[in-house]
Amino acid sequence: MTDVDSASAHSGRAKSLASSTPALHIARFHYHRPTILPDTLPLLFRYLRERCPVAVLVPLSLVLFIAGIRHLPVNPADALRGWLTMGLCLLLLRLSDDLADREIDRLTHPDRLTCSADPTALKALKRARIWMLLGAIALQLPDYHLLLPLLVASAFYGIFFGIKRRFSPLLQPVVLNSALGLFPIYGELLLHGHTSPFGLLLGLFFWLGALAHDYAHCVMDIREQDAARLNPINRTPPRLLAVISLCLFTASGIVGLVLYCLHYTGHLFLGVLAVCTLVIAYLEIRLLRAPKAPDARPFYWWGFLFFLLPALAHLLEVIWA
């Protein structure tokens, strides 16, 4: 055997040894520095700008939380803690819902961050969900009795988002918007130490109003659209969605009236609710006459204001009392 042949054989045995020896095989991989926040935060901020602007998230979470106040004073530290918790929960719900709808959103909204083909972005957003949930849990630690409701709710909505596509498109908003009904109940529990019929009725008022808002602003003329490129709920007959939203706004208004009749709220709450009801009635008449997207668009804001403005009126009454 020549020197060249001997060297080639020695090199072949070395390569074989390197590939068959676990320690040497592992050593061939490159080391990647583990990253958590450096990759996640920029993408999370981009998601906030795109789908959940801070200018909306901050006041919305504040109103939904402090609406459960029945009287003053309350502990400022608890109020701040609850506000942060509600902000994290709202963002967590929004992000989880967008991730659950990725398949259809790739057709209808391919430019969204959650529809990105980059697996790194998707992993970072999923990682952000874990950090948000851990942050919400950590905020409850001074009051351990709040941990169980939060963990139960997290498990419930986690299961829902995992099987959301198995639900009827008309039932999906029912489950998703139920979270808004829990916020004032949580606020009352944190700030006053217990729940009452006021918190339960206010939660129902929020839930029905938010659900009506969801159905109303989803109305569009399906005859003018490619059904394959629509979200499942948008494929529902538009007049049916308009009628359902009208019934739910009516039910929410009745619950608001019950809150007033039971003396949980005052005249200002009733007056603001009456004005919002008149606006919604006008918008619903337009929508029923022509159930198309242009007439549904005002509900994106007015659907929320229908129950948020009376809640703000109630807070003013509490402050002035």
Side-chain angles (χ1 to χ4, degrees), residues 91-263:
L91 180 56
L92 182 58
L93 286 167
R94 182 72 164 184
L95 178 55
S96 298
D97 190 47
D98 281 346
L99 289 173
D101 290 341
R102 283 182 70 244
E103 296 304 320
I104 186 65
D105 284 347
R106 283 175 176 173
L107 297 175
T108 58
H109 305 285
D111 55 330
R112 287 182 180 174
L113 178 61
T114 49
C115 301
S116 173
D118 182 7
T120 304
L122 187 60
K123 290 179 181 179
L125 290 176
K126 290 181 177 180
R127 193 184 302 133
R129 287 194 306 176
I130 297 174
W131 284 105
M132 283 187 280
L133 178 59
L134 291 176
I137 291 174
L139 287 168
Q140 313 313 307
L141 290 180
D143 295 300
Y144 294 100
H145 68 283
L146 295 174
L147 272 178
L148 181 59
L150 180 64
L151 292 174
V152 170
S154 300
F156 172 79
Y157 288 107
I159 294 172
F160 165 69
F161 287 123
I163 61 175
K164 181 183 175 183
R165 285 181 291 178
R166 300 181 187 179
F167 280 71
S168 162
L170 284 177
L171 289 179
Q172 292 176 8
V174 175
V175 180
L176 183 59
N177 286 285
S178 65
L180 272 69
L182 297 177
F183 286 5
I185 298 174
Y186 168 81
E188 189 180 32
L189 185 61
L190 174 61
L191 297 176
H192 299 300
H194 62 276
T195 59
S196 70
F198 163 73
L200 297 175
L201 285 170
L202 190 63
L204 183 60
F205 175 65
F206 282 3
W207 182 20
L208 292 172
L211 189 54
H213 148 270
D214 227 356
Y215 286 130
H217 83 77
C218 286
V219 170
M220 61 176 56
D221 190 347
I222 56 179
R223 295 171 301 179
E224 301 175 358
Q225 305 287 336
D226 179 6
R229 300 185 67 84
L230 292 175
N231 285 321
I233 193 171
N234 295 128
R235 302 170 194 169
T236 307
R239 195 171 298 278
L240 175 60
L241 288 176
V243 170
I244 292 175
S245 69
L246 174 61
C247 294
L248 289 168
F249 276 124
T250 303
S252 181
I254 292 173
V255 174
L257 184 60
V258 170
L259 280 165
Y260 172 77
C261 291
L262 294 178
H263 305 292

Side-chain angles (χ1 to χ4, degrees), residues 47-60:
Y47 177 80
L48 280 168
R49 291 192 300 269
E50 180 182 291
R51 295 287 292 147
C52 198
V54 175
V56 175
L57 175 66
V58 171
L60 179 60

